[in-house]
């Protein structure tokens, strides 16, 4: 087997975002595009000579071909071993767990998360560190710098590697080990949760509707919920991962998981509903006629985590992304534990988890997780909810009512303006940023602005800073709004507007009605309609 050195040159636009590099699939399949970025990863992390890596992805279109490229390039650059999920499949949290359990030096995860898949849709790649978490900005900056100076990449001339037979195969001097993608993850879940209590719950006739959205979580949910816990066969819907996710959009929210919402709000609804996304790191929780916002879900899990065996000793602290509602802050204050607000991006939680300052973390974009891995984990959140429900013997709606009675309700919603003109989106944020010093004290749409800032974060562990992470506006009385541009799209710009308002007594309002004054205030301050050309958000969650 011959190592081949192939001359190349930098390709514009290979700058990793909050979760790696994401582009349209047709961009990735261009000659040399993936190869340039993979070689730049090797350069950015100081080489792979003698290293052990984990590789896998969510099964979207181009996943299998991309893994063959990565394996050849890892072998050509001197990697000692690559551990691959069977068929090239690994959910993102399972990959994180595998890196940690096997003591690997890092891993390459192929996914565009909740974005659609297919030849005309999205693809992505990111590097995770030895702790199992996404590469920090210092590493992604080094990778990006390498993309700007690359002049060659190395590959090994070899036939495709068999990714379907479990066991080891030598590729040049490198060992490739194909492993069951589900086994280690399922074993970890059994350590954290009371599987006996969950088996009793399902044996009682408890009904679950889990929508895997034809994405990676399907095999994991079938094995754990149906095979190990005894949920009725067929409880996991759309369980087979497909390269185009069955033509759907694998984003677990009420808009894209319409099948689940219809079931849970219809006659004869199951007891519990849930969904996960393309790569398995996000979740949605629904009870009978009761949708749980991700921010509320994080707060409920923080208040009740001690009911699961893996968290019986209590939480060391909690952390949330800055746009996530302050509901979990109130739980932390009541429980006497620390609460941290970080920029968006799971990588910012890594240092807190590694240092033992936080046990539970969450993002408003349906991502929740704990220190069991260094990624958010959709199925973990579902099992945590089920464990809590099994112990409390309450419905989802009853748990929410109990929670609000103790902590009050934080009404919350996210308004997404998708694929808008990038120049217009940046102009909106820049104009609002320039106006920040004059905004506090203003009365807008019946609300008084108490504070206005461009959020920045200083890591309490390593002192690194992240500036310009989103415009945050606070109002007297407990209302808040955040505006930021998302880094997860692949075309145009996505403007996300996060709205929240705290109420200590009235818990039965429609969230959009409760938040209407906050939305009106933001429109008056930012001029979203005029600048974006949109009369309304594309997605409201």
């Amino acid at each position: 087997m011959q190592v081949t050195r192939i001359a190349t040159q930098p390709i514009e636009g290979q700058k990793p975002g909050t979760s790696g590099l994401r582009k349209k699939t047709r961009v990735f399949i261009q000659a040399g595009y993936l190869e340039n970025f993979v070689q730049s990863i090797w350069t950015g992390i100081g080489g792979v000579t003698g290293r052990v890596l984990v590789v896998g992805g969510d099964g979207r279109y181009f996943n299998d071909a991309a893994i063959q490229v990565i394996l050849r390039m890892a072998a050509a650059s001197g990697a000692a071993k690559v551990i691959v999920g069977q068929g090239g499949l690994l959910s993102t949290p399972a990959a994180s767990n595998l890196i940690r359990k096997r003591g690997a030096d890092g891993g390459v995860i192929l996914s565009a998360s909740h974005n659609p898949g297919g030849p005309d849709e999205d693809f992505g790649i990111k590097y995770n560190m030895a702790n199992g978490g996404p590469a920090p900005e210092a590493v992604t900056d080094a990778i990006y710098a390498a993309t700007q100076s690359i002049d060659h990449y190395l590959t090994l001339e070899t036939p495709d590697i068999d990714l379907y037979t479990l066991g080891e195969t030598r590729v040049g001097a490198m060992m490739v080990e194909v492993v069951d993608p589900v086994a280690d993850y399922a074993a970890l879940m059994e350590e954290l949760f009371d599987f006996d209590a969950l088996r009793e719950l399902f044996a009682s006739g408890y009904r679950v509707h889990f929508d895997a959205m034809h994405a990676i979580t399907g095999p994991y949910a079938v094995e754990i919920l149906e095979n190990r816990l005894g949920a009725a066969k067929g409880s996991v819907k759309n369980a087979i991962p497909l390269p185009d996710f069955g033509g759907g959009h694998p984003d677990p929210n009420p808009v894209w998981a319409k099948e689940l919402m219809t079931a849970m709000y219809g006659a004869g609804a199951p007891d519990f509903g849930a969904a996960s996304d393309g790569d398995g790191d996000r979740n949605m929780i629904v009870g009978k006629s009761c949708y749980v916002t991700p921010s509320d879900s994080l707060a409920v899990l923080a208040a009740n985590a001690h009911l699961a065996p893996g968290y019986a000793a209590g939480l060391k602290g909690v952390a949330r992304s800055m746009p996530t509602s302050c509901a979990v802050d109130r739980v932390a204050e009541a429980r006497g534990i620390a609460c941290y607000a970080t920029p968006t991006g799971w990588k910012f939680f890594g240092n807190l988890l590694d240092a033992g300052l936080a046990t539970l973390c969450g993002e408003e974009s349906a991502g929740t997780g704990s220190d069991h891995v260094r990624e958010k984990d959709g199925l973990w959140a579902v099992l945590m909810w089920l464990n809590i429900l099994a112990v409390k013997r309450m419905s989802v709606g009853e748990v929410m009512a109990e929670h609000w009675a103790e902590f009050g309700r934080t009404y919350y919603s996210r308004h997404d303006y998708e694929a808008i003109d990038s120049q217009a989106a940046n102009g909106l944020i820049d104009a609002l940023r320039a106006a920040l010093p004059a905004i506090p004290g203003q009365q807008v749409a019946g609300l008084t602005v108490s504070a206005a800032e461009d959020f920045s974060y200083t890591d309490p562990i390593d002192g690194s800073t992240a500036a310009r992470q989103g415009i945050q506006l606070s109002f007297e009385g407990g209302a808040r709004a955040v505006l930021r541009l998302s880094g997860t799209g692949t075309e145009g710009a996505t403007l996300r507007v996060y709205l929240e308002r705290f109420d200590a007594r009235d818990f039965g309002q429609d969230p959009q009605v409760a938040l209407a004054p906050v939305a009106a205030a933001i429109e008056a301050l930012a001029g979203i309609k005029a600048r974006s050309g949109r009369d309304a958000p594309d997605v409201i969650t």
Side-chain angles (χ1 to χ4, degrees):
M1 298 180 183
Q2 180 181 348
V3 174
T4 303
R5 177 188 175 103
I6 299 176
T8 188
Q9 57 187 5
I11 299 173
E12 186 178 353
Q14 291 195 324
K15 183 176 177 61
T18 55
S19 294
L21 181 67
R22 294 183 186 171
K23 300 288 181 181
K24 288 298 180 184
T25 305
R26 294 199 184 278
V27 173
F28 265 103
I29 63 177
Q30 295 177 89
Y33 192 92
L34 175 64
E35 290 85 348
N36 265 32
F37 191 72
V38 171
Q39 193 69 52
S40 297
I41 291 176
W42 303 163
T43 301
I45 63 173
V48 294
T49 301
R51 294 193 178 190
V52 176
L53 302 175
V54 168
V55 175
D58 60 15
R60 68 179 59 229
Y61 186 86
F62 191 55
N63 186 84
D64 50 357
I67 288 177
Q68 297 290 345
V69 169
I70 293 166
L71 293 177
R72 291 186 180 101
M73 293 186 65
S77 290
K81 184 175 187 177
V82 175
I83 304 166
V84 189
Q86 188 175 31
L89 300 179
L90 275 174
S91 75
T92 292
S96 180
N97 176 56
L98 197 55
I99 292 169
R100 294 168 62 79
K101 182 172 183 178
R102 298 293 292 271
D105 295 291
V108 179
I109 299 176
L110 303 174
S111 175
S113 188
H114 56 292
N115 294 3
D120 296 314
E121 298 296 348
D122 300 343
F123 193 79
I125 178 172
K126 69 174 181 175
Y127 185 78
N128 279 34
M129 307 297 286
N131 73 343
E137 289 193 327
V139 175
T140 57
D141 286 347
I143 293 170
Y144 178 52
T147 71
Q148 296 177 299
S149 60
I150 187 171
D151 61 9
H152 75 277
Y153 61 84
L154 301 179
T155 188
L156 192 69
E157 299 297 331
T158 178
D160 280 356
I161 295 99
D162 177 9
L163 300 180
Y164 293 90
T165 303
L166 298 178
E168 294 185 336
T169 304
R170 188 162 292 282
V171 179
M174 183 182 79
M175 187 67 73
V176 174
E177 181 183 0
V178 178
V179 300
D180 182 327
V182 177
D184 287 332
Y185 176 87
L188 176 62
M189 295 302 104
E190 197 154 4
E191 293 174 10
L192 297 175
F193 301 112
D194 188 343
F195 272 32
D196 288 337
L198 291 173
R199 289 187 187 100
E200 290 181 14
L201 180 70
F202 287 119
S204 72
Y206 196 83
R207 293 191 299 137
V208 168
H209 181 127
F210 184 99
D211 188 352
M213 307 188 84
H214 286 302
I216 191 63
T217 312
Y220 295 83
V222 169
E223 172 61 23
I224 295 173
L225 294 176
E226 296 185 10
N227 297 346
R228 300 196 182 195
L229 296 177
K233 296 297 181 183
S235 294
V236 181
K237 317 294 183 183
N238 304 315
I240 299 175
L242 298 175
D244 65 348
F245 305 115
H249 190 142
D251 189 354
N253 64 50
V255 174
W256 300 119
K258 186 177 180 181
E259 176 186 337
L260 171 63
M261 296 298 290
T262 299
M264 296 307 299
Y265 277 76
D271 299 290
F272 180 83
S276 191
D277 71 326
D279 67 332
D281 63 359
R282 299 187 182 206
N283 73 90
M284 181 169 79
I285 305 298
V286 195
K288 290 182 178 180
S289 301
C290 179
Y291 166 69
V292 182
T293 70
S295 291
D296 268 347
S297 181
L298 175 62
V300 168
L301 297 188
N304 295 281
H306 62 281
L307 300 178
Y311 306 89
L315 305 178
K316 299 170 184 174
V318 294
R320 63 170 175 85
S321 61
M322 180 270 289
T324 301
S325 90
C326 296
V328 74
D329 301 46
R330 297 182 177 90
V331 174
E333 182 178 7
R335 297 288 189 266
I337 59 177
C339 182
Y340 302 88
T342 74
T344 297
W346 203 261
K347 58 190 175 186
F348 292 103
F349 294 136
N351 279 354
L352 298 172
L353 295 169
D354 287 345
L357 296 181
T359 306
L360 191 72
C361 301
E363 297 177 331
E364 59 73 35
S365 55
T368 325
S370 82
D371 58 359
H372 70 291
V373 291
R374 294 298 181 267
E375 290 277 4
K376 46 188 176 273
D377 189 346
L379 189 51
W380 170 91
V382 170
L383 291 169
M384 177 69 94
W385 262 97
L386 287 170
N387 200 143
I388 292 167
L389 295 171
V391 173
K392 284 181 168 287
R393 299 187 178 277
M394 299 169 70
S395 69
V396 173
E398 289 169 340
V399 167
M400 293 311 307
E402 177 188 68
H403 184 85
W404 292 332
E406 180 176 359
F407 299 103
R409 181 174 184 181
T410 302
Y411 287 98
Y412 187 82
S413 184
R414 187 179 88 185
H415 294 187
D416 289 350
Y417 299 81
E418 297 181 336
I420 61 178
D421 179 77
S422 295
Q423 185 173 354
N426 284 306
L428 184 155
I429 294 295
D430 289 343
L432 189 58
R433 182 179 288 124
L436 286 177
I439 291 178
Q442 289 188 27
Q443 290 190 338
V444 190
L447 298 177
T448 301
V449 181
S450 58
E453 67 167 341
D454 192 353
F455 181 74
S456 63
Y457 177 71
T458 300
D459 190 291
I461 310 304
D462 63 19
S464 62
T465 60
R468 295 194 167 196
Q469 295 297 308
I471 305 297
Q472 181 172 219
L473 304 172
S474 299
F475 302 88
E476 292 180 0
R480 186 175 72 114
V482 173
L483 294 85
R484 59 178 290 271
L485 300 181
S486 171
T488 61
T490 59
E491 59 182 344
T494 296
L495 172 67
R496 302 200 195 281
V497 182
Y498 312 81
L499 310 170
E500 70 176 274
R501 185 175 70 80
F502 177 70
D503 198 309
R505 293 178 299 276
D506 185 358
F507 309 142
Q509 300 180 64
D510 178 280
Q512 301 308 318
V513 174
L515 293 166
V518 189
I522 292 305
E523 176 58 35
L525 289 168
I528 296 173
K529 291 181 181 179
R531 287 182 174 273
S532 71
R534 306 287 175 85
D535 291 330
D538 296 283
V539 179
I540 295 177
T541 52

